[in-house]
Amino acid sequence: MLKKLSLFKRSLLIYTLTLFVLASIFLIFVYANLKKYERNLLEPLLLNTIHDLDKKELQGYLEQANQSTNLLKTYQEMTKRDDYKFVNNEDTIYDAYLDGRVVFTIKLKSLGETSCLGLLQYEKFEVEEIVPHLENGLIYYEVKIPSNYTLFINGNVYENYTKAEEMPNLDFMYYNDSMPKMVTYEIKDLESPLNTIEVENFKGEKVQLKQDGVHYTYEETMKLDTLEEAKIFIGDLDIETIAKNWSLFLSQDLQGGNYGFQTFKKYLVEGTAMYKQAYNWAHSVDITFTSKHTLKNPPFANVRIENFIIYGDSAFSCEVYLEKNMIVSGKTQTDIMHDTLSFIKVNGDWRLMNIKGIKDGANTNE
């Protein structure tokens, strides 16, 4: 009886071990196939392609781009990172982004659909070509700031920008060079990372750059709440009188020839859109249809001049609010002006370049 029991135990043990081995083989098989499936998924395939680039290939890329082979270690470290972003730009061609710049372009070739374990269907690819992007060097930075700001690289002034663009929605301000543009600096073909990238505004004050990978930007503007604060930049410019005269001009109440145009044009620059707007109003039939009225005494109330944007020493805009009180057909009527006024300096004098209405109480001077 004991002998039979012992034989049973040995048989059970052998059976158990056999099941364990078979189960292990099955799990290894499943694991291997799942890993193969995972590796052939698009993003892992692209990432592994970069990870698998060897020392010889990377050195060849550097030499072709006339880059120092001293950068090889840095290049290798870049290819081992896992935070690449892949963007499909054409069929099976993908750009690999790292720190906001294209580092590689990978072209794939479809091998058709296949399955994993008879369950998971997927399209299989192989890498047909990988193209490195070293046009600006391996170590590269891009800085975008207003043209009247100063860029310092490792403590030294850097002056050579590669691109200049007008600030959006402010085309009317670019009559001359008073209005700064947004300029882009490309600091490229470096052999080591920069120690410092610093920027000073037009007043010589350091500003905090916004960083996105290798891209640094400062697109904010100096904002001041009150007229008193802005006087250091605009001097004795009488914005209130300009705004009141514009309001009077629109209602045919401004003294001077051509319904007040001859008085108001001294604030303008001939040939600009603002000048043409005022001229056309003074010389169109529409101005003669202004409702008959008289101005109350005093005509203006609740004048506010605020929310300044200072673009530089020679360009700014501000928000103006005022109420013009009139008597129309024996009744009091209030005409509200709530506009953004924009100015630049022309031959040393401030000139009005644009008036834009502010809708629904929202400040559009942003």
Side-chain angles (χ1 to χ4, degrees):
M1 183 69 177
L2 290 173
K3 190 179 284 187
K4 286 183 179 180
L5 187 59
S6 178
L7 180 61
F8 174 76
K9 286 183 177 180
R10 283 199 302 271
S11 300
L12 183 60
L13 178 61
I14 293 169
Y15 179 72
T16 303
L17 289 173
T18 302
L19 282 178
F20 177 76
V21 171
L22 290 174
S24 298
I25 293 171
F26 176 75
L27 289 174
I28 291 170
F29 172 77
V30 171
Y31 176 78
N33 275 273
L34 288 175
K35 289 299 289 184
K36 182 180 178 182
Y37 168 73
E38 180 187 38
R39 188 174 177 84
N40 279 281
L41 289 175
L42 199 54
E43 191 160 319
L45 172 64
L46 295 169
L47 186 59
N48 287 324
T49 298
I50 296 172
H51 284 177
D52 292 343
L53 289 168
D54 60 30
K55 182 177 178 180
K56 185 178 179 180
E57 289 173 302
L58 295 176
Q59 184 168 327
Y61 294 156
L62 290 173
E63 290 172 351
Q64 289 171 16
N66 296 317
Q67 294 289 298
S68 170
T69 53
N70 294 332
L71 294 167
L72 182 57
K73 184 178 178 182
T74 302
Y75 207 4
Q76 288 178 295
E77 291 171 353
M78 286 175 61
T79 62
K80 301 306 178 187
R81 286 172 54 177
D82 294 323
D83 53 338
Y84 281 86
K85 306 295 182 185
F86 299 100
V87 176
N88 181 209
N89 62 27
E90 182 184 345
D91 295 331
T92 55
I93 300 175
Y94 293 83
D95 287 331
Y97 283 82
L98 187 67
D99 295 331
R101 62 178 289 203
V102 180
V103 182
F104 297 101
T105 294
I106 302 172
K107 184 178 182 181
L108 302 178
K109 179 182 179 181
S110 175
L111 300 177
E113 284 199 352
T114 186
S115 64
C116 176
L117 302 175
L119 297 172
L120 301 170
Q121 294 286 330
Y122 65 96
E123 189 172 5
K124 192 173 182 180
F125 294 94
E126 69 175 8
V127 176
E128 190 170 49
E129 184 182 18
I130 179 166
V131 179
H133 289 281
L134 295 169
E135 298 86 354
N136 293 319
L138 182 66
I139 302 175
Y140 161 81
Y141 300 89
E142 184 179 281
V143 182
K144 187 175 183 180
I145 57 175
S147 57
N148 57 345
Y149 284 36
T150 305
L151 172 63
F152 294 87
I153 299 297
N154 289 344
N156 299 311
V157 175
Y158 194 90
E159 296 180 333
N160 301 318
Y161 60 82
T162 55
K163 183 169 63 174
E165 303 169 288
E166 293 183 357
M167 294 185 184
N169 304 316
L170 292 171
D171 55 292
F172 49 82
M173 295 287 274
Y174 289 97
Y175 173 78
N176 57 18
D177 59 1
S178 293
M179 182 69 181
K181 295 183 177 181
M182 292 302 299
V183 293
T184 300
Y185 298 84
E186 294 179 341
I187 304 101
K188 53 189 179 180
D189 294 320
L190 300 172
E191 293 199 8
S192 61
L194 296 175
N195 294 323
T196 59
I197 299 176
E198 297 177 313
V199 169
E200 291 182 359
N201 64 18
F202 61 90
K203 289 182 61 184
E205 302 167 333
K206 286 186 178 180
V207 297
Q208 185 66 44
L209 292 169
K210 180 181 178 181
Q211 182 184 358
D212 181 13
V214 299
H215 302 280
Y216 293 77
T217 57
Y218 189 84
E219 299 181 272
E220 298 180 30
T221 48
M222 182 179 293
K223 297 182 180 181
L224 302 174
D225 293 331
T226 67
L227 175 61
E228 197 61 35
E229 293 174 285
K231 282 183 177 179
I232 190 172
F233 298 103
I234 69 173
D236 58 358
L237 177 65
D238 192 350
I239 299 172
E240 182 173 339
T241 295
I242 295 172
K244 287 179 177 179
N245 282 351
W246 176 252
S247 179
L248 294 171
F249 173 58
L250 293 181
S251 58
Q252 204 179 335
D253 291 306
L254 185 61
Q255 298 297 311
N258 299 120
Y259 301 105
F261 175 74
Q262 296 301 324
T263 298
F264 195 79
K265 74 176 186 178
K266 65 183 178 183
Y267 307 123
L268 309 174
V269 180
E270 188 171 356
T272 62
M274 187 69 225
Y275 184 97
K276 292 174 182 177
Q277 179 183 346
Y279 179 90
N280 290 340
W281 174 246
H283 293 81
S284 72
V285 68
D286 293 342
I287 197 170
T288 63
F289 291 107
T290 304
S291 300
K292 292 183 178 181
H293 62 274
T294 56
L295 297 173
K296 295 189 79 172
N297 188 20
F300 294 102
N302 299 320
V303 179
R304 299 198 312 268
I305 304 170
E306 56 194 3
N307 297 326
F308 285 78
I309 293 182
I310 309 298
Y311 299 104
D313 292 322
S314 302
F316 78 94
S317 61
C318 65
E319 179 183 346
V320 174
Y321 178 92
L322 58 81
E323 297 171 0
K324 180 173 61 182
N325 297 305
M326 305 176 289
I327 304 295
V328 181
S329 300
K331 297 181 180 179
T332 298
Q333 179 175 307
T334 300
D335 185 12
I336 293 176
M337 175 182 178
H338 192 194
D339 295 341
T340 295
L341 276 61
S342 299
F343 296 84
I344 64 169
K345 276 189 176 179
V346 178
N347 298 325
D349 296 318
W350 288 111
R351 292 292 181 260
L352 179 64
M353 303 305 291
N354 191 60
I355 297 179
K356 180 180 180 181
I358 297 175
K359 298 179 180 179
D360 300 324
N363 180 10
T364 59
N365 194 17
E366 295 291 346

